[in-house]
Amino acid sequence: MIHLPVLITDLGLILAAAGVTTLLFKRIKQPLVLGYILAGLLVGPHIKFIPTVTDNESIHIWAEIGVIFLLFSLGLEFSFKKLVKVGGSASITAIVEVAFMLITGFVAGMAMGWSTMDSIFLGGILSVSSTTIIIRAFEELGVKHKKFAGLVFGVLIVEDLVAILLLVLLSTLAVSQQFAGSEMLISILKLCFFLVLWFIGGIFLVPTFLKATRKLMNDETMLVVSIALCLIMVLLAVKVGFSPALGAFIMGSILAETTQAERIEHLTKSVKDLFAAIFFVSVGMLIDPSILIDYAVPILIITLATVLGKFLSSGMGALVSGQPLKTSVQTGMSLAQIGEFSFIIATLGLTLKVTSDFLYPIAVAVSAITTFTTPYLIKFSEPFYRFLERKLPQKWVEGINRYSSSTAGITTLSDWKILLKSYSFNTIIHAVILIALVFLGSRYLQPFITKNIINGNNGIIISLVLSLVIMTPFLWALAIRRIERKAYTNLWLNKKYTRGPLVALEVLRIALAIFFVGFLIYQFYSTILALGIALVLIISGMIIFSRKLQGFYNRLESRFLLNLNAREAQKAQPEILPWDTHLAELTVAPESRLVGQTLVDLSVREKYGINIALIERGKIMIPTPGRDERLYPNDKVLVIGTDDQLASVKELFEGSIEENNESSFPKKDMTLQKIVINSSSPVYGQSIRNSGIRETTQGLVVGIERKGERILNPDSNMVFENEDIVWIVGNNKKVPDLLK
């Protein structure tokens, strides 16, 4: 008898349960995540009336793979450049919300008598909203074009990065079992160091590799390469002491900057969906229904704390950042839930065995409840805003409006701010690169050379020289390279106040370069003489070969910037306006009545008050299109207008076909049919043109067989005769009735 491994039977059981429950949840129009959790509850160890999973350890391995691919897909949607561009409003809103919910969760846990570690993890669980649930709710409610949706997406981008930081900090806290400020600081600095290093290295290498192999990349190889890159970064993250999820997220965010991002996201979606389903089912397997009953009151308290706390914190954060009252209320009510990152944080607590068993199912229950409430909160956010506007004192409303208007103004930077910002970025980036090169040289290059090429002191000298040569362009950029020449010149001309600080800055840059050289030499030698000789050589080399170093560094920088901006250059978009009028992207559906019409004929500005800023047609970009430009199917159009204006024109772009329209019928009804004409047929004795076949049957005569002669594509003036065999392409439900 053939023995089937337990893993396969368990996997089949999981996917079967997930398939049934998700079909049910699809039918009742609820998020599929809840269906997966219910499936896990059914096949878990706590419910016995159906077959249950037996090899839990293997399922946990599959679930960890699910977390990796889930974070990889979130990284593909994240992008560090998006984080830079979300602006102050989204950043302030996210920071206020996360800080408030961390405190709220901790206070709520301590008030209910929970342990300190349970309370800290509860704060982490409540601090991050669900990207998946919000996007799905926005799509179902058709509000993605509204102004507040852009702010919400920006907040979610910042929250994703905060969640990654929380995973690192909570891991450190769980291991040390105490709040050690120095350990936390080291963890944050370590995370920041590797984030910068991986981002710089990834942007320089990965897009270059994808461009070089573009002609070899069909869908199959692109899928394999993308997953391989993801898992390589997972290995690197684990190697330096981070979680696999962090590595997957970082590689996703690097690939998000490439021109292949959409293609990779499309190809890996099925893999992500499969393993994410297993992860969410494993989430449900850990739920004990008896715990939910015993902790019904804490679940209710935490749910209320989540909804009210997130509404208040997100709304206040948006107000502080300068958003109008309407946008702030809508943003607060949209973010009032927890989701996938909360599950991952709760799983971390269980894996590290630092949280109680009841915390995990409570988090899942709160997530399920807030998932149900999210669409209703979004739907009623605008009526609630109107209610607040009526009930709040008029002075408050006017004050909020004045504050919002004042923060929307254009700000300018002084020369000092421009210069200090550039110097700071230059120092941080090159310091990270130089530290990485020092450790690569001392930990990997030197052992490799002394073991495989030259032993003893000669091997150490060769390793040191090679390390210094590799570091030289970056030392030059750190110490000598001119940055923001215009701002520097303006400040230098002001002799009285600025020359001293400018000289101090230059001295500091040179001192940092000398420090890194000394730091490298210290890894190989500890003598002062060796340090002095190396410093003289490296400084002389940077001065003598300054131009060559500049040329080499400029080529490196150009390649990096080209890779970084390639996707943006391919799909350029105007900046979003700071007023209620904002940009939205609408796609022209093939059935829309806009297809084929010129912009002057459409008169969307006169009829609806919107302006068309850009048309994207495949790889073609048409900015500020002219009056004679036409719209074609699947054109992506950037339009500018208010929420109400965009909502009114959205239906035009989407198009609609009435159910009773005779031109609308399933594709399968269009078939090739053979009809024999007789003297009683309604079309007997009539020409093809006058028979009305095209109009009444949606049919087209493609051939006639008459007395053994076959006539392909007959003339429309040909008259039907008795015993003609007519071939018609048309609606198979209507043609027989006409030609019997």
Side-chain angles (χ1 to χ4, degrees):
M1 182 177 178
I2 298 175
H3 175 69
L4 191 65
V6 174
L7 175 63
I8 296 178
T9 58
D10 285 347
L11 189 60
L13 180 62
I14 283 176
L15 294 179
V20 172
T21 53
T22 50
L23 286 173
L24 173 63
F25 275 69
K26 193 79 173 176
R27 177 72 176 175
I28 61 177
K29 297 182 179 179
Q30 294 301 326
L32 299 185
V33 172
L34 297 181
Y36 292 138
I37 293 173
L38 177 60
L41 182 63
L42 294 175
V43 300
H46 304 291
I47 294 181
K48 302 295 185 183
F49 61 85
I50 63 172
T52 58
V53 171
T54 55
D55 188 3
N56 289 328
E57 186 176 345
S58 296
I59 298 303
H60 289 156
I61 294 174
W62 286 104
E64 188 164 351
I65 298 174
V67 172
I68 289 172
F69 284 111
L70 184 64
L71 269 293
F72 180 62
S73 65
L74 286 173
L76 282 170
E77 298 171 0
F78 170 78
S79 163
F80 282 102
K81 287 191 73 177
K82 287 183 181 177
L83 179 64
V84 174
K85 290 183 177 180
V86 293
S89 294
S91 302
I92 292 171
T93 304
I95 291 169
V96 171
E97 180 202 350
V98 170
F100 185 87
M101 294 309 299
L102 280 169
I103 296 171
T104 299
F106 179 78
V107 171
M110 296 300 290
M112 291 184 289
W114 293 2
S115 68
T116 302
M117 199 61 69
D118 284 338
S119 301
I120 292 173
F121 269 80
L122 177 62
I125 288 168
L126 300 187
S127 62
V128 185
S129 300
S130 171
T131 303
T132 305
I133 293 169
I134 290 174
I135 289 176
R136 179 179 176 83
F138 279 5
E139 288 175 348
E140 290 179 349
L141 297 173
V143 297
K144 288 179 72 173
H145 65 282
K146 293 196 173 183
K147 184 181 179 182
F148 78 92
L151 178 61
V152 171
F153 289 141
V155 172
L156 292 173
I157 289 171
V158 179
E159 283 189 350
D160 284 345
L161 189 61
V162 171
I164 293 295
L165 178 61
L166 280 176
L167 287 175
V168 175
L169 294 181
L170 290 174
S171 299
T172 305
L173 186 62
V175 171
S176 64
Q177 290 291 314
Q178 59 183 354
F179 188 82
S182 59
E183 289 186 11
M184 288 292 178
L185 181 60
I186 291 171
S187 296
I188 293 173
L189 292 175
K190 183 180 176 183
L191 175 63
C192 293
F193 171 79
F194 280 104
L195 282 177
V196 174
L197 181 63
W198 285 336
F199 179 72
I200 294 171
I203 292 299
F204 188 81
L205 297 175
V206 173
T208 303
F209 168 73
L210 292 178
K211 287 176 186 176
T213 58
R214 181 175 53 189
K215 294 182 179 179
L216 305 174
M217 288 285 191
N218 58 18
D219 286 351
E220 180 181 357
T221 53
M222 179 62 82
L223 174 63
V224 173
V225 168
S226 301
I227 293 176
L229 289 171
C230 171
L231 296 180
I232 288 171
M233 184 56 77
V234 167
L235 291 174
L236 287 175
V238 173
K239 186 76 174 174
V240 297
F242 293 125
S243 68
L246 174 63
F249 182 84
I250 295 300
M251 181 49 69
S253 64
I254 290 171
L255 290 172
E257 307 296 352
T258 68
T259 56
Q260 300 293 326
E262 288 84 359
R263 184 184 178 195
I264 294 171
E265 189 174 356
H266 172 72
L267 291 173
T268 57
K269 186 177 185 301
S270 299
V271 180
K272 182 265 293 185
D273 289 343
L274 174 63
F275 287 106
I278 298 173
F279 166 67
F280 286 119
V281 171
S282 70
V283 168
M285 289 170 58
L286 293 172
I287 299 176
D288 186 348
S290 62
I291 291 180
L292 299 182
I293 296 172
D294 295 340
Y295 287 87
V297 174
I299 289 172
L300 181 61
I301 292 172
I302 296 170
T303 301
L304 291 174
T306 301
V307 175
L308 293 177
K310 282 183 170 286
F311 166 65
L312 291 174
S313 59
S314 302
M316 288 301 297
L319 281 176
V320 170
S321 69
Q323 293 297 318
L325 180 61
K326 180 181 179 181
T327 302
S328 302
V329 171
Q330 290 175 315
T331 300
M333 296 183 77
S334 299
L335 293 166
Q337 80 291 119
I338 59 175
E340 56 276 358
F341 262 120
S342 303
F343 299 151
I344 295 170
I345 292 172
T347 304
L348 178 67
L350 277 184
T351 304
L352 297 175
K353 296 181 172 55
V354 295
T355 57
S356 304
D357 292 337
F358 62 78
L359 182 61
Y360 191 94
I362 286 177
V364 175
V366 173
S367 174
I369 296 171
T370 54
T371 298
F372 279 116
T373 59
T374 294
Y376 299 103
L377 291 172
I378 297 172
K379 188 176 181 180
F380 291 110
S381 60
E382 192 166 345
F384 184 66
Y385 153 71
R386 295 196 190 99
F387 170 78
L388 282 179
E389 192 177 34
R390 290 195 305 269
K391 296 297 181 180
L392 288 175
Q394 190 64 29
K395 289 184 178 179
W396 290 18
V397 176
E398 291 174 355
I400 291 172
N401 291 336
R402 283 195 302 271
Y403 177 73
S404 174
S405 300
S406 65
T407 57
I410 298 174
T411 59
T412 58
L413 294 177
S414 67
D415 288 333
W416 266 119
K417 287 183 179 179
I418 293 171
L419 194 68
L420 290 175
K421 183 179 178 182
S422 300
Y423 272 47
S424 299
F425 274 111
N426 183 70
T427 302
I428 291 170
I429 290 171
H430 292 100
V432 167
I433 294 174
L434 290 169
I435 291 171
L437 291 176
V438 167
F439 281 105
L440 285 173
S442 60
R443 302 280 178 89
Y444 296 98
L445 180 63
Q446 187 264 331
F448 176 81
I449 290 177
T450 53
K451 183 179 179 181
N452 299 289
I453 301 176
I454 300 177
N455 292 326
N457 191 53
N458 290 335
I460 296 175
I461 293 173
I462 291 173
S463 303
L464 176 59
V465 171
L466 285 176
S467 299
L468 283 172
V469 169
I470 296 171
M471 289 172 60
T472 301
F474 305 104
L475 289 169
W476 172 86
L478 175 65
I480 301 175
R481 180 191 179 210
R482 287 290 170 216
I483 308 170
E484 294 292 344
R485 291 176 179 271
K486 185 177 179 181
Y488 189 95
T489 303
N490 290 339
L491 291 170
W492 185 258
L493 293 175
N494 187 354
K495 300 179 182 179
K496 187 175 181 181
Y497 299 107
T498 58
R499 286 197 176 182
L502 287 175
V503 171
L505 276 177
E506 297 303 323
V507 171
L508 178 61
R509 292 175 65 191
I510 295 171
L512 282 173
I514 294 172
F515 167 78
F516 283 116
V517 174
F519 183 53
L520 172 68
I521 296 171
Y522 181 75
Q523 306 300 314
F524 295 89
Y525 296 102
S526 58
T527 63
I528 298 176
L529 178 62
L531 176 62
I533 294 171
L535 286 176
V536 171
L537 289 175
I538 199 71
I539 293 172
S540 302
M542 284 195 296
I543 295 172
I544 295 170
F545 299 105
S546 179
R547 290 196 175 184
K548 289 187 177 181
L549 288 173
Q550 181 177 357
F552 179 72
Y553 182 84
N554 287 341
R555 288 194 295 274
L556 290 178
E557 187 180 51
S558 297
R559 173 59 63 87
F560 177 82
L561 293 175
L562 181 66
N563 290 344
L564 182 64
N565 298 318
R567 187 182 181 190
E568 189 177 53
Q570 189 181 67
K571 192 175 182 179
Q573 291 190 4
E575 293 292 328
I576 296 178
L577 301 176
W579 306 287
D580 185 44
T581 300
H582 61 285
L583 282 172
E585 184 181 275
L586 301 175
T587 302
V588 180
E591 63 271 17
S592 171
R593 64 183 179 86
L594 303 179
V595 172
Q597 296 194 51
T598 62
L599 299 187
V600 68
D601 292 335
L602 293 175
S603 302
V604 289
R605 184 174 189 177
E606 292 76 11
K607 294 178 181 177
Y608 302 99
I610 68 163
N611 292 281
I612 295 179
L614 178 141
I615 298 175
E616 178 185 349
R617 186 171 298 146
K619 294 183 179 180
I620 300 173
M621 298 291 171
I622 308 173
T624 56
R627 62 200 305 272
D628 296 323
E629 188 65 51
R630 296 180 184 274
L631 294 180
Y632 294 101
N634 299 314
D635 277 356
K636 293 180 180 178
V637 183
L638 277 177
V639 295
I640 306 172
T642 64
D643 287 346
D644 294 336
Q645 290 168 343
L646 293 172
S648 64
V649 81
K650 188 169 177 281
E651 296 179 1
L652 278 177
F653 280 84
E654 292 178 346
S656 61
I657 300 177
E658 299 296 333
E659 292 183 1
N660 59 356
N661 189 340
E662 292 185 355
S663 66
S664 175
F665 61 92
K667 183 179 177 181
K668 63 183 180 179
D669 289 349
M670 181 65 77
T671 59
L672 178 64
Q673 302 166 77
K674 182 177 74 173
I675 303 296
V676 179
I677 303 295
N678 56 47
S679 57
S680 61
S681 299
V683 297
Y684 174 71
Q686 297 184 38
S687 66
I688 296 175
R689 177 179 295 164
N690 297 329
S691 64
I693 290 176
R694 181 188 293 270
E695 293 76 20
T696 57
T697 69
Q698 299 165 326
L700 180 67
V701 177
V702 295
I704 296 177
E705 186 175 340
R706 178 177 295 171
K707 298 176 182 179
E709 180 186 1
R710 294 179 177 176
I711 306 169
L712 185 64
N713 297 325
D715 187 88
S716 60
N717 293 318
M718 180 172 284
V719 177
F720 290 114
E721 297 180 2
N722 192 29
E723 297 184 355
D724 278 353
I725 299 175
V726 183
W727 294 89
I728 299 178
V729 175
N731 190 335
N732 60 17
K733 296 178 180 178
K734 297 184 177 182
V735 172
D737 295 336
L738 181 64
L739 302 179
K740 284 180 181 178

